[in-house]
Amino acid sequence: MVDISIISQTEFVRIWSSSLSRENRLSLVADMCRVNALSSIKKAGSGHLGSSLSSIDIVTMLYYSELKGISHEKNNPDRDIYFSSKGHDVPGYYAVLYSLGLLPKDQFILLRRIKGTCGHPDIGTPCVEANSGSLGMGISKAKGMAFAKRYNNKKGRIFVMLGDGELQEGQNYEALLTAVNQKLSNIIVIIDHNKVQTDKQVCDVSDLGDLELKFQTFGWHTARCNGHNFTDFEGVLRSFDKIIDKPKVIIADTIKGKGISFMEHPAALQAGEGLYRWHSGAPDDTSYQSALSELRQKINNQLAIFGLDSLKLETIAPECKPSASISEEYISDAYGKALLEIARKRKDIIVLDADLAADCHIRTFEQILPSQFIENGIAEQDMVSMAGGLALQGLLPIVHSFAAFLSSRANEQIYNNCCEKTKIIYACHYAGLLPAGPGQSHQSIRDISLFGAMPNMEILQPCNAEETKEIVNYCINQTKNNCMIRLVIGPSPRVINLPSDYSLSKGSGTVINEGSDAIIFAYGPVMLHESLIAAELLAKKDLSLKVVNMPWLNVVNQSWLQSVIGEIKNIFILEDHVLFGGLFDTLMYHLIKIPAFYGRNVELLGIIGLPAWGRPWEVLQYHGLNGNSIADKILTKSDGNNEDT
Amino acid sequence: MVDISIISQTEFVRIWSSSLSRENRLSLVADMCRVNALSSIKKAGSGHLGSSLSSIDIVTMLYYSELKGISHEKNNPDRDIYFSSKGHDVPGYYAVLYSLGLLPKDQFILLRRIKGTCGHPDIGTPCVEANSGSLGMGISKAKGMAFAKRYNNKKGRIFVMLGDGELQEGQNYEALLTAVNQKLSNIIVIIDHNKVQTDKQVCDVSDLGDLELKFQTFGWHTARCNGHNFTDFEGVLRSFDKIIDKPKVIIADTIKGKGISFMEHPAALQAGEGLYRWHSGAPDDTSYQSALSELRQKINNQLAIFGLDSLKLETIAPECKPSASISEEYISDAYGKALLEIARKRKDIIVLDADLAADCHIRTFEQILPSQFIENGIAEQDMVSMAGGLALQGLLPIVHSFAAFLSSRANEQIYNNCCEKTKIIYACHYAGLLPAGPGQSHQSIRDISLFGAMPNMEILQPCNAEETKEIVNYCINQTKNNCMIRLVIGPSPRVINLPSDYSLSKGSGTVINEGSDAIIFAYGPVMLHESLIAAELLAKKDLSLKVVNMPWLNVVNQSWLQSVIGEIKNIFILEDHVLFGGLFDTLMYHLIKIPAFYGRNVELLGIIGLPAWGRPWEVLQYHGLNGNSIADKILTKSDGNNEDT
């Protein structure tokens, strides 16, 4: 494994306290923060590098030279406030905080770890002023802060950083309108206009047109500058000081991947044959070493010119990999293949995407069946209502996004579609607690509750690639209802084996481990894997646990249920969801109708409170949902004792 | 009661087949449709008159003279499509359909009745192409239709009518952007620019700025005309015929209330001292007679000039009022008063509104405490995230809208706020099945499921004015959690009496009728009223029903629950909600922990399938949720039989 190095905080003090010009110091500090952002992502194994690099000059400038307030402390009500609405750029932000001594090293080097920092900004981290990761909320939130400052007669400006792709979200335009009408002039929006969203150019995904003119027609004061030029940027801020009757926006022209030549747009896009590779995910060892070396050399060259000592780097401990095995199986990949296979034959299928084609494994679909593919940009509400219009005209739309976004952002639109009694399929990727690195905005642990009350909606989640194919086929070719397909995005921790005579049967699950002392219902490869570990552990203690894969999350076949519980007294329901509104709801509805049910012991396991972020194993452990914890709970709660309150 | 008159369809045939000029015929027909829209609303007792009157000239023009297709039949794939995104204007639309013989008289005269037409467009009604009532979805839906036509190589344009207030919703801007990028040029958006939303001027609620320029910066082709001048309007449509590379929008300047002098803006606004009275609700008898007389006289004057016979009107049967009593109590009014009283003392309270101040009973608050009031326009997402920003700065935001909109449109924003661990109160008015006239978009029967999985969220619903005051006080002054207050908007069918020693106690309900044979848990005045009727009916059959008011919808005190069910074997849970994700979920979670629970019979009653629209009594009956039906179910399901599947 390659060594990972960071620049310690003392080095930042050395450079910042040198006698170099402010521009030179800012430039050096920003590049040093680039090193640290790069290394923290390399150590974490994931994180958003491209937009950290494009925005880091601006963040450095703000924190070193512009923001007023006592060390940016939250308890100073007159402070300037800065936060990022897009949130992707947070590794760069953490690097700046660390460089100023505002974020302890122990926390900084644990990006996306439970005791470190979250993959998107979280209010619990020092200096972070707002949660983000769900796009398009920043200007609205800044409005609330600006109103509060005016209402409380406090000083301080509100700076909010937006991505350009993010401007495809409609909420921004609500906020542009109301900020002006509510005379909230104390807001400065900064657009990190790096021209690339996820892996394609903004102009190719969903072109924004003339951005400056757009803001102007909403009544905002606008300026445009080079977001990597400190003098330019500061000049705009000084010009803004004179504008007191309007909210203000800087369109900062930046370069995605700035500072690492092979990550810079547009070169990187060409190298990737039209796809930008460095939006998220950690660089491989070679790329990391090459990037580090380039940055280091640039900084050292500068230092040499200025007669300063070369940079000192310190090696940090690499990530301890857990011993847990991970399979090669990706359910999301199986999904993409199954969908493509069917859609080749069914020309009425139209696939809709909201800038997550690669993650939702429909990039191949886009390339092979372009006429059946609609790229909608980051505009989930528009995508869902557009699907409604397609369905009204007799087509079968299949809508894609992450479960957390689709189930909530577009909830009213989905319901409106349901009211029209058409058929639409909602493919909800990234469902469940894991991966937990990106944090609460991305972890989808409410989606069953958000879809469950929709009329004519079947919710299904496959446990493996085979079942994924069955479910895709069922949803497209068999049922007349709307469907929500709930899909895990990461690799399956193990391939869940289904019996050789397996077939998908409405409302019925499959026993994947026989047992007679207790029974556990679970869904998806993550929770089934943990259930099987629990079964293995319990077997050693002479407790045999029946494990049931239940792919139907809001449909239960009553007679199957009666048969599968048999005489087993202890019934456990394991949710990859919060306790409210998951499988429990539907199972209980049916269980209480079984006369033989009475006298049983039912226990509900699932996510309590806000989901933790971190590596899979630590997050499962934190929530008591790893195999060990489940086994312990089953041991404690079984035997008909239910003294719990 | 005043006579209600309509103009029969034969009169429209007479006028349309006359030898008058097309403009004169269109003008006469539009005014005749005004008569019928007015009368249908008068008969219904509610409905949106103001925007029916502003848009009716345009709809008349489109249906009589512009739309291509065989009688606008849905089975012609090459037809032009028209639908209204705002949906408020549907009484005017129905009048036009009726005039053309496209909507049977029996259905037309039953506005907002179960066997008639819905208060917002519903796909089940002849000629209606899309459901609306949830604002801001129309352009997106039109995009889907336009894509389908292009994909299927079919002819026909897509016309979609928007309100101007509706343009405050962000989804519109997503759709403006993507329509251009997806080259969906076959869309014609019509803005019924009547300058008044609900009861105030658009420019005063949340000014839209230069509308034409806004559309242009999004890449749309624009035109502006007088929406009451047929020649002008048609001229624009002909100019659009030549524009084949862009979607198009007509800003049609119209007058809200057009055709009835005292309902016309701006005179009506002045008469209402700044508030427009005729947005929704039926006119009183005097206003109705005066309006009818004015329209009739205008039409007859025209007919006389052209040498045609005067108009024949036919009287239609007035609405049969049910004998059911209704109390004088409005819980929403009690809410507004309680909130105002507390906020006078707590200056940290900030009230946010999304253009529903009168309906949410916070108009008085706005007038008395203007500095603590934020009008946000129809932009729920922005409002909720703005509340997030206010809370982060230490204020206590209280957010208002209808439950159906707030719980779904702003769901992701509410969750994001919860993740910041601040405290915000969400006042969700118009919760539950009733009133059912406005239809599915407004009936809020999923909101508990949508709020239930939020972290640190308590959901409460008061049963009467007294409990409303207690709950408002609890939410503001006692709990540290977020709160969702679920409020019925209509008059309480009876005042629910609480015991003299009543006090609000966390997780505990109140017995409002003693009984020992069966117990029913219900919430809100509507369902408690029906439960009490059931209890009265069952008492005659020697079955004593214990009725429990349960104001806590996701919090249950275990020991209270154990005590209140006592030895009662038959347990019923009555939801003013669909079966999924309501009170049942939380009650079951706790019931199964009670050892003495086992052997009981639990039945869940609630709304199954899409909610019906209509009068309260017919809708309750349709869903089997009136007192009679509930009593029948309790009789059938009690005695420990649970042979149901």
Side-chain angles (χ1 to χ4, degrees):
Chain A
M1 183 175 274
V2 69
D3 276 350
I4 301 174
S5 306
I6 64 161
I7 302 168
S8 71
Q9 208 245 320
T10 53
E11 284 288 85
F12 286 93
V13 173
R14 175 171 74 96
I15 302 302
W16 191 246
S17 60
S18 73
S19 59
L20 301 181
S21 75
R22 205 178 53 118
E23 275 65 28
N24 285 331
R25 286 181 291 149
L26 285 171
S27 176
L28 281 165
V29 165
D31 280 340
M32 289 159 68
C33 287
R34 284 187 166 92
V35 168
N36 283 354
L38 169 74
S39 294
S40 69
I41 288 171
K42 177 61 182 167
K43 179 168 155 73
S46 65
H48 293 91
L49 194 47
S51 62
S52 287
L53 295 170
S54 66
S55 63
I56 212 163
D57 290 319
I58 294 167
V59 179
T60 302
M61 161 83 191
L62 290 175
Y63 272 79
Y64 274 81
S65 176
E66 182 67 23
L67 295 183
K68 296 180 185 73
I70 305 158
S71 305
H72 324 294
E73 280 171 8
K74 286 186 195 170
N75 57 7
N76 171 8
D78 289 309
R79 73 193 183 281
D80 282 341
I81 290 176
Y82 167 83
F83 67 96
S84 167
S85 175
K86 59 176 178 169
H88 288 134
D89 52 344
V90 79
Y93 178 70
Y94 295 146
V96 174
L97 293 183
Y98 167 67
S99 78
L100 283 162
L102 296 171
L103 186 66
K105 180 181 159 190
D106 287 353
Q107 198 172 356
F108 172 63
I109 61 170
L110 290 176
L111 177 64
R112 295 180 169 230
R113 291 295 302 272
I114 202 163
K115 291 184 177 166
T117 57
C118 184
H120 288 89
D122 182 272
I123 202 88
T125 304
C127 296
V128 172
E129 299 269 8
N131 279 36
S132 51
S134 298
L135 296 173
M137 299 180 188
I139 309 180
S140 304
K141 216 170 265 191
K143 279 178 54 201
M145 294 172 178
F147 182 98
K149 278 188 181 289
R150 185 174 68 194
Y151 182 76
N152 291 325
N153 203 19
K154 299 296 175 193
K155 291 186 196 131
R157 299 160 295 176
I158 319 291
F159 291 88
V160 53
M161 172 84 80
L162 266 75
D164 44 9
E166 187 179 10
L167 288 171
Q168 291 158 357
E169 284 287 4
Q171 184 178 350
N172 290 299
Y173 300 92
E174 297 182 357
L176 292 187
L177 206 61
T178 54
V180 170
N181 288 325
Q182 293 162 357
K183 300 185 173 54
L184 298 167
S185 308
N186 210 12
I187 298 171
I188 298 175
V189 167
I190 303 162
I191 309 292
D192 177 22
H193 193 20
N194 64 27
K195 285 97 182 167
V196 178
Q197 59 184 112
T198 314
D199 53 9
K200 286 189 177 182
Q201 292 193 92
V202 177
C203 62
D204 293 332
V205 175
S206 190
D207 188 36
L208 296 169
D210 185 333
L211 261 188
E212 233 185 313
L213 188 58
K214 263 197 190 64
F215 277 90
Q216 285 164 9
T217 67
F218 280 85
W220 284 58
H221 179 80
T222 68
R224 190 154 187 158
C225 74
N226 177 347
H228 301 304
N229 184 312
F230 301 103
T231 312
D232 260 27
F233 190 81
E234 189 174 27
V236 169
L237 291 180
R238 291 297 72 76
S239 75
F240 280 4
D241 292 341
K242 297 167 205 130
I243 311 297
I244 54 165
D245 61 340
K246 281 181 181 184
K248 294 157 276 277
V249 59
I250 310 175
I251 320 278
D253 286 301
T254 58
I255 293 167
K256 194 151 179 171
K258 172 73 177 176
I260 300 172
S261 53
F262 63 91
M263 294 186 185
E264 285 190 0
H265 175 67
L269 204 73
Q270 285 151 12
E273 294 178 358
L275 295 178
Y276 184 82
R277 276 179 58 194
W278 312 102
H279 173 73
S280 60
D284 59 39
D285 288 354
T286 312
S287 301
Y288 170 70
Q289 282 174 314
S290 164
L292 180 64
S293 160
E294 180 182 341
L295 283 169
R296 195 174 173 176
Q297 195 170 338
K298 182 186 167 197
I299 296 164
N300 282 336
N301 286 349
Q302 286 294 104
L303 292 175
I305 292 169
F306 301 135
L308 294 176
D309 288 348
S310 289
L311 213 52
K312 288 188 203 105
L313 272 79
E314 59 172 315
T315 304
I316 54 174
E319 192 75 352
C320 302
K321 289 279 173 197
S323 56
S325 64
I326 290 285
S327 79
E328 304 277 307
E329 180 188 79
Y330 278 83
I331 279 180
S332 50
D333 181 53
Y335 168 82
K337 286 178 175 146
L339 176 63
L340 178 60
E341 192 182 322
I342 297 176
R344 282 174 189 274
K345 289 170 247 157
R346 279 196 58 166
K347 292 298 163 195
D348 60 334
I349 289 177
I350 302 291
V351 160
L352 295 99
D353 174 48
D355 193 35
L356 290 168
D359 287 310
C360 297
H361 288 261
I362 48 174
R363 182 57 36 81
T364 311
F365 189 109
E366 178 186 11
Q367 288 158 350
I368 294 179
L369 300 174
S371 70
Q372 289 173 255
F373 182 89
I374 298 174
E375 176 54 63
N376 215 64
I378 310 171
E380 296 81 8
Q381 303 191 29
D382 178 50
M383 171 173 66
V384 167
S385 293
M386 183 178 185
L390 292 164
L392 286 168
Q393 294 297 302
L395 297 171
L396 176 58
I398 307 185
V399 179
H400 294 78
S401 187
F402 287 171
F405 309 148
L406 196 50
S407 63
S408 59
R409 183 77 59 127
N411 191 281
E412 192 179 11
Q413 287 77 9
I414 295 169
Y415 181 68
N416 175 279
N417 289 345
C418 288
C419 291
E420 293 177 333
K421 297 174 186 162
T422 51
K423 174 175 167 178
I424 298 176
I425 296 170
Y426 300 92
C428 292
H429 289 261
Y430 204 144
L433 182 65
L434 303 184
Q440 293 150 2
S441 59
H442 285 57
Q443 292 164 286
S444 190
I445 54 167
R446 300 188 303 125
D447 51 276
I448 306 174
S449 75
L450 296 178
F451 269 91
M454 300 274 180
N456 308 317
M457 179 68 69
E458 296 178 28
I459 307 176
L460 296 99
Q461 175 160 5
C463 71
N464 67 13
E466 177 190 0
E467 191 166 58
T468 303
K469 199 173 164 180
E470 292 290 320
I471 284 177
V472 171
N473 181 57
Y474 169 82
C475 292
I476 295 176
N477 289 321
Q478 291 174 34
T479 184
K480 289 182 177 171
N481 287 319
N482 296 291
C483 294
M484 188 277 235
I485 309 180
R486 200 172 190 263
L487 295 154
V488 161
I489 200 167
S492 302
R494 77 171 80 181
V495 176
I496 303 297
N497 289 316
L498 291 169
S500 55
D501 63 346
Y502 160 83
S503 73
L504 188 74
S505 169
K506 186 160 180 174
S508 303
T510 313
V511 176
I512 59 169
N513 190 67
E514 284 295 349
S516 56
D517 297 320
I519 184 169
I520 190 164
F521 294 88
Y523 45 92
V526 173
M527 292 304 173
L528 286 167
H529 171 67
E530 300 302 332
S531 300
L532 289 171
I533 291 176
E536 287 147 16
L537 292 167
L538 290 167
K540 293 177 191 157
K541 299 190 175 179
D542 287 333
L543 189 153
S544 81
L545 176 66
K546 192 175 199 173
V547 180
V548 180
N549 164 42
M550 186 54 189
W552 305 88
L553 302 183
N554 70 337
V555 185
V556 171
N557 178 319
Q558 183 85 24
S559 60
W560 165 79
L561 181 64
Q562 186 156 355
S563 148
V564 81
I565 63 169
E567 304 291 317
I568 302 174
K569 193 173 176 194
N570 298 296
I571 301 171
F572 294 84
I573 300 164
L574 173 58
E575 306 274 5
D576 192 7
H577 195 271
V578 297
L579 299 187
F580 181 95
L583 175 61
F584 173 80
D585 207 14
T586 308
L587 274 183
M588 283 312 301
Y589 182 78
H590 289 276
L591 279 172
I592 57 172
K593 294 184 190 297
I594 297 173
F597 164 70
Y598 294 100
R600 311 287 178 110
N601 177 30
V602 182
E603 292 290 339
L604 172 59
L605 310 176
I607 298 144
I608 296 174
L610 283 168
W613 66 78
R615 297 290 183 276
W617 62 93
E618 62 189 1
V619 166
L620 287 166
Q621 187 170 26
Y622 172 87
H623 285 288
L625 298 175
N626 57 348
N628 264 304
S629 306
I630 294 168
D632 285 349
K633 281 177 195 160
I634 291 175
L635 265 182
T636 313
K637 303 278 183 178
S638 288
D639 295 318
N641 297 321
N642 37 7
E643 59 288 280
D644 188 27
T645 52
Chain B
M1 182 174 277
V2 68
D3 274 351
I4 300 175
S5 305
I6 65 162
I7 302 168
S8 72
Q9 208 246 320
T10 52
E11 284 289 86
F12 287 92
V13 173
R14 173 170 75 96
I15 301 302
W16 191 247
S17 61
S18 73
S19 59
L20 301 181
S21 76
R22 204 178 55 116
E23 275 65 27
N24 284 331
R25 285 181 292 148
L26 284 171
S27 177
L28 281 165
V29 164
D31 280 340
M32 289 160 69
C33 287
R34 285 186 165 92
V35 168
N36 282 353
L38 169 76
S39 294
S40 69
I41 288 172
K42 177 61 183 167
K43 178 169 155 73
S46 65
H48 293 91
L49 194 47
S51 62
S52 287
L53 295 170
S54 66
S55 63
I56 214 161
D57 290 320
I58 294 167
V59 178
T60 301
M61 161 84 190
L62 290 174
Y63 272 78
Y64 274 81
S65 176
E66 182 67 24
L67 295 182
K68 296 180 186 74
I70 304 157
S71 306
H72 324 293
E73 282 171 5
K74 287 186 196 170
N75 58 7
N76 171 8
D78 290 308
R79 73 191 181 281
D80 282 340
I81 290 176
Y82 167 84
F83 68 97
S84 167
S85 175
K86 58 175 178 170
H88 288 133
D89 52 345
V90 78
Y93 179 70
Y94 295 146
V96 174
L97 293 183
Y98 167 67
S99 79
L100 283 161
L102 295 170
L103 185 66
K105 180 180 160 192
D106 288 352
Q107 198 171 354
F108 172 63
I109 60 170
L110 290 176
L111 176 64
R112 296 180 169 228
R113 291 295 303 271
I114 202 162
K115 291 184 177 167
T117 58
C118 184
H120 289 89
D122 182 272
I123 201 87
T125 304
C127 295
V128 172
E129 299 270 9
N131 279 36
S132 50
S134 299
L135 295 174
M137 299 181 188
I139 308 181
S140 303
K141 217 171 263 189
K143 280 178 53 201
M145 294 172 177
F147 183 98
K149 279 190 180 286
R150 184 173 71 192
Y151 183 76
N152 290 326
N153 204 20
K154 298 296 176 195
K155 291 187 195 130
R157 298 161 294 174
I158 319 291
F159 291 88
V160 54
M161 172 84 80
L162 265 75
D164 43 11
E166 187 179 9
L167 287 171
Q168 291 158 357
E169 284 284 7
Q171 184 178 350
N172 290 299
Y173 301 92
E174 297 182 356
L176 292 186
L177 207 61
T178 55
V180 170
N181 288 326
Q182 293 163 357
K183 300 185 172 55
L184 298 167
S185 309
N186 211 11
I187 298 171
I188 297 174
V189 167
I190 303 162
I191 310 291
D192 177 21
H193 194 18
N194 64 28
K195 285 98 182 166
V196 177
Q197 58 184 111
T198 313
D199 52 11
K200 286 190 177 183
Q201 290 193 95
V202 177
C203 63
D204 292 332
V205 175
S206 190
D207 187 37
L208 296 168
D210 185 333
L211 261 189
E212 233 183 313
L213 187 59
K214 265 199 190 62
F215 277 90
Q216 285 164 10
T217 67
F218 280 85
W220 283 58
H221 179 80
T222 67
R224 189 155 188 158
C225 74
N226 177 345
H228 301 304
N229 183 312
F230 301 104
T231 312
D232 260 26
F233 190 81
E234 190 173 27
V236 169
L237 292 179
R238 291 298 71 77
S239 75
F240 280 4
D241 291 342
K242 298 166 204 130
I243 311 297
I244 55 166
D245 61 340
K246 283 181 179 182
K248 293 155 279 277
V249 58
I250 310 175
I251 320 277
D253 286 301
T254 58
I255 293 168
K256 194 149 178 173
K258 172 73 178 177
I260 300 172
S261 54
F262 64 91
M263 294 186 185
E264 285 190 2
H265 175 67
L269 205 72
Q270 286 151 9
E273 294 178 0
L275 295 178
Y276 185 83
R277 278 180 57 194
W278 311 101
H279 174 72
S280 60
D284 58 39
D285 288 355
T286 312
S287 302
Y288 170 70
Q289 281 174 316
S290 163
L292 180 64
S293 160
E294 179 181 342
L295 283 169
R296 193 176 177 176
Q297 196 169 338
K298 181 184 168 200
I299 296 163
N300 281 337
N301 286 349
Q302 286 296 102
L303 292 174
I305 290 168
F306 301 135
L308 294 175
D309 288 349
S310 289
L311 212 52
K312 287 188 202 103
L313 272 79
E314 58 172 315
T315 303
I316 54 174
E319 191 76 351
C320 302
K321 289 279 172 196
S323 56
S325 64
I326 291 283
S327 80
E328 304 277 309
E329 179 188 77
Y330 278 82
I331 278 180
S332 50
D333 181 51
Y335 168 81
K337 286 178 176 147
L339 175 63
L340 178 61
E341 191 182 323
I342 298 177
R344 282 175 190 271
K345 289 170 249 156
R346 279 196 59 166
K347 290 300 163 196
D348 60 332
I349 289 176
I350 303 291
V351 159
L352 296 99
D353 174 49
D355 193 33
L356 289 168
D359 288 310
C360 297
H361 288 261
I362 49 174
R363 184 54 41 80
T364 311
F365 189 109
E366 178 187 10
Q367 288 158 350
I368 293 180
L369 300 175
S371 70
Q372 289 173 255
F373 183 89
I374 298 174
E375 176 54 64
N376 214 63
I378 309 171
E380 296 80 8
Q381 302 192 26
D382 177 51
M383 171 172 66
V384 167
S385 293
M386 183 176 184
L390 291 166
L392 286 169
Q393 294 297 302
L395 298 171
L396 175 59
I398 307 185
V399 179
H400 294 77
S401 186
F402 286 171
F405 309 148
L406 196 51
S407 64
S408 61
R409 181 77 59 127
N411 192 280
E412 193 179 10
Q413 287 75 11
I414 295 169
Y415 181 68
N416 175 279
N417 289 345
C418 289
C419 290
E420 293 176 333
K421 297 173 186 163
T422 51
K423 173 174 167 179
I424 299 176
I425 297 170
Y426 300 92
C428 293
H429 289 260
Y430 203 143
L433 182 65
L434 303 184
Q440 294 150 4
S441 59
H442 285 57
Q443 292 163 288
S444 190
I445 54 167
R446 302 187 302 124
D447 51 277
I448 306 174
S449 75
L450 297 177
F451 269 91
M454 300 275 180
N456 308 317
M457 180 69 69
E458 297 177 28
I459 308 177
L460 297 99
Q461 176 161 3
C463 72
N464 66 14
E466 177 190 359
E467 191 165 57
T468 303
K469 199 173 164 181
E470 293 290 319
I471 284 177
V472 171
N473 181 55
Y474 169 82
C475 293
I476 294 177
N477 289 323
Q478 291 174 34
T479 184
K480 289 182 177 172
N481 287 318
N482 296 291
C483 294
M484 188 277 235
I485 310 180
R486 199 172 191 263
L487 296 154
V488 161
I489 202 167
S492 302
R494 77 169 82 180
V495 176
I496 304 296
N497 289 316
L498 291 169
S500 55
D501 62 346
Y502 161 83
S503 72
L504 188 73
S505 168
K506 187 160 180 174
S508 304
T510 312
V511 176
I512 58 169
N513 191 67
E514 285 295 348
S516 56
D517 297 320
I519 183 169
I520 189 164
F521 294 88
Y523 45 92
V526 173
M527 292 304 172
L528 286 168
H529 171 68
E530 301 301 332
S531 300
L532 289 171
I533 291 175
E536 287 147 16
L537 292 167
L538 289 167
K540 293 178 192 157
K541 298 191 175 179
D542 288 333
L543 190 153
S544 81
L545 176 66
K546 191 174 197 173
V547 180
V548 180
N549 163 43
M550 187 54 190
W552 304 88
L553 302 184
N554 70 337
V555 185
V556 171
N557 178 321
Q558 184 85 24
S559 61
W560 165 78
L561 181 64
Q562 187 157 352
S563 147
V564 81
I565 65 170
E567 305 290 317
I568 302 174
K569 195 173 174 195
N570 298 296
I571 301 171
F572 294 84
I573 300 164
L574 173 58
E575 306 273 5
D576 191 7
H577 194 271
V578 298
L579 299 188
F580 181 94
L583 175 62
F584 173 80
D585 208 12
T586 307
L587 273 184
M588 283 312 300
Y589 182 78
H590 289 276
L591 279 172
I592 58 172
K593 293 185 190 298
I594 297 173
F597 164 69
Y598 294 99
R600 312 285 178 112
N601 177 29
V602 182
E603 292 290 337
L604 173 59
L605 312 176
I607 297 144
I608 296 174
L610 284 167
W613 68 77
R615 297 290 182 274
W617 63 93
E618 62 190 1
V619 166
L620 287 167
Q621 185 170 28
Y622 173 86
H623 286 288
L625 297 174
N626 57 349
N628 263 304
S629 306
I630 294 168
D632 286 348
K633 281 175 195 162
I634 290 175
L635 265 182
T636 313
K637 303 278 185 180
S638 290
D639 295 318
N641 297 321
N642 39 6
E643 59 289 281
D644 190 24
T645 54

